[in-house]
């Protein structure tokens, strides 16, 4: 049964959501002919992350579907002035002339918009919601593709699916699942070579800084490894993997005390399991599972379940206690975990 998005997305439950959208009939409409639509989506995600109070932590664009891991930041939107809200909205929906061509966002236009406090309030609310972010991601591409293909009608299947991600281990599992989609599908042999993925974007960002050696050192959970992680993702448009606000950063990351190097080690291990069905557990990897309070077996059972079955369900957690906590908050007796994934 279809549920209102307001019943599925609640920042008081979690700010993290995994969103998926498929092309109509599963057709390969996101291929690179006649135009690189995957690159368009990647650039659009980067643009929207600078406009909305919504952070992008992960993405993968496949031939016929896309995955995005998003974080809602309502407190950021609350801190914007009314003028900033209007200017941000103008980047998405600029004024237009009689022929519907976009016009520059002028100071006069901004002042005119500011006279209507009700509209400014609506703009502020929309700039922090999942539905409007996904609308502004998908709708322009659908219009562009229909013009290119000289057709009309739906480009994406119905509405996008959203899954509430409820704890840190589930968050890392979803991010890894998204990054490993091309590997699991047999498109590429290793995750970091996957085009139009967040993991490739992260690795290339480190390489552009000439800090590959720091990335390797950062996989170690020691003090030296933590020092090597400093600033690795500070200027990247994606949400940093490690939340270093208590150390040396003002940016909110995904998991405190969990470095980008550790994440890449975890993804590499999981990718080997997808390709070969087995992989050795190094000392560093064993330390990662210890820090997560998990095990290699539990991690792989979760990722394998995500990759093989239909993603039925609207909530995902690695902890049964967290599922029970959210069920109580929502006033329901029980919450089924996404895809029947095991929870400890």
């Amino acid at each position: 049964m279809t549920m209102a998005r307001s019943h599925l997305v609640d920042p008081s439950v979690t700010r993290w959501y995994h969103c998926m959208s498929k092309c109509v009939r599963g057709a390969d409409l996101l291929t690179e002919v006649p135009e690189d639509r995957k690159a368009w989506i990647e650039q659009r995600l980067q643009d929207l992350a600078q406009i909305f109070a919504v952070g992008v932590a992960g993405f993968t664009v496949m031939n016929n579907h896309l995955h995005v891991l998003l974080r809602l930041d309502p407190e950021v939107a609350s801190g914007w002035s009314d003028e900033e809200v209007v200017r941000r909205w103008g980047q998405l929906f600029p004024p237009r002339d009689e022929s519907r061509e976009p016009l520059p966002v002028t100071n006069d236009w901004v002042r005119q918009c500011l006279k209507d406090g009700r509209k400014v309030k609506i703009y502020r609310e929309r700039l922090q919601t999942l539905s409007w972010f996904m609308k502004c991601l998908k709708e322009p591409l659908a219009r562009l593709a229909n013009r290119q293909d000289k057709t009309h009608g739906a480009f994406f299947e119905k509405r996008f699916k959203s899954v509430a991600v409820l704890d840190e281990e589930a968050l890392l599992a979803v991010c890894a699942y998204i990054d490993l989609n091309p590997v699991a599908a047999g498109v590429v042999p290793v995750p970091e070579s996957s085009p139009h993925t967040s993991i490739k974007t992260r690795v290339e960002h480190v390489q552009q800084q000439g800090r590959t050696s720091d990335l390797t050192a950062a996989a170690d959970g020691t003090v030296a490894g933590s020092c090597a992680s400093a600033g690795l993702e500070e200027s990247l448009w994606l949400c940093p993997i490690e939340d270093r606000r208590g150390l040396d950063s003002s940016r909110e990351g995904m998991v405190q005390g969990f470095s980008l190097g550790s994440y890449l080690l975890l993804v590499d291990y999981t990718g080997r399991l997808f390709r070969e069905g087995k992989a050795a557990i190094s000392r560093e990897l064993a330390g990662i599972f210890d820090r997560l309070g998990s095990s290699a077996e539990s991690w792989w059972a979760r990722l394998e379940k995500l990759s093989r079955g239909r993603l039925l369900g609207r909530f995902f957690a690695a902890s049964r206690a967290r599922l029970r906590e959210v069920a109580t908050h929502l006033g329901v007796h029980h919450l089924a975990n996404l895809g029947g994934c095991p929870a400890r």
Side-chain angles (χ1 to χ4, degrees), residues 34-210:
E35 184 175 310
D36 194 341
R37 293 172 182 172
K38 294 179 182 179
W40 187 97
I41 290 176
E42 186 172 346
Q43 183 59 53
R44 183 66 172 173
L45 281 170
Q46 186 172 351
D47 294 341
L48 294 179
Q50 309 305 316
I51 298 171
F52 278 78
V54 177
V56 180
F59 70 90
T60 287
V61 189
M62 303 292 283
N63 285 347
N64 61 7
H65 69 281
L66 61 94
H67 295 265
V68 192
L69 178 58
L70 302 174
R71 183 189 68 208
L72 303 181
D73 294 324
E75 291 185 0
V76 172
S78 298
W80 292 334
S81 67
D82 286 355
E83 181 177 344
E84 186 171 1
V85 168
V86 170
R87 290 190 181 278
R88 286 173 180 270
W89 188 257
Q91 292 181 64
L92 297 169
F93 302 100
R96 294 181 179 273
D97 60 21
E98 293 181 355
S99 61
R100 301 299 299 159
E101 290 299 314
L103 297 171
V105 175
T106 63
N107 291 335
D108 286 342
W109 181 82
V110 171
R111 281 192 292 270
Q112 188 65 32
C113 290
L114 288 172
K115 292 177 181 179
D116 192 337
R118 184 185 63 85
K119 277 191 176 181
V120 174
K121 182 180 179 182
I122 291 172
Y123 296 162
R124 188 187 301 273
E125 290 172 353
R126 289 177 176 178
L127 287 169
Q128 57 186 293
T129 62
L130 206 62
S131 292
W132 274 86
F133 184 98
M134 292 299 291
K135 171 187 172 68
C136 292
L137 172 64
K138 294 167 54 180
E139 189 176 282
L141 175 62
R143 294 179 185 277
L144 173 65
N146 281 350
R147 285 197 302 271
Q148 291 173 341
D149 298 342
K150 296 181 173 58
T151 186
H152 62 276
F155 183 85
F156 290 100
E157 280 186 0
K158 44 191 176 181
R159 4 184 257 174
F160 67 92
K161 180 181 178 66
S162 65
V163 175
V165 185
L166 303 179
D167 56 36
E168 287 185 345
E169 188 179 347
L171 182 60
L172 289 171
V174 166
C175 199
Y177 163 73
I178 290 173
D179 279 331
L180 284 166
N181 249 247
V183 175
V187 177
V188 294
V190 292
E192 59 271 21
S193 67
S194 306
H196 311 297
T197 61
S198 45
I199 192 167
K200 189 172 192 294
T201 300
R202 293 186 192 278
V203 170
E204 287 181 345
H205 179 71
V206 172
Q207 290 172 341
Q208 288 165 6
Q209 298 176 77

Side-chain angles (χ1 to χ4, degrees), residues 273 295-307 340-342:
L273 289 175
S295 66
E297 292 75 19
S298 296
W299 172 265
W300 175 236
R302 211 166 281 123
L303 266 293
E304 188 177 36
K305 197 80 172 177
L306 287 176
S307 64
C341 286

Side-chain angles (χ1 to χ4, degrees), residues 8-18 69-74 130 163-168 170-171 314-316 322 325-326 329-330:
L8 301 173
V9 178
D10 183 353
S12 69
V13 171
T14 179
R15 292 161 57 211
W16 293 99
Y17 293 88
H18 173 199
L69 178 58
L70 302 174
R71 183 189 68 208
L72 303 181
D73 294 324
L130 206 62
V163 175
V165 185
L166 303 179
D167 56 36
E168 287 185 345
L171 182 60
R314 296 292 183 175
F315 299 89
F316 183 41
R322 179 63 175 140
E325 178 188 340
V326 173
H329 176 86
L330 296 175

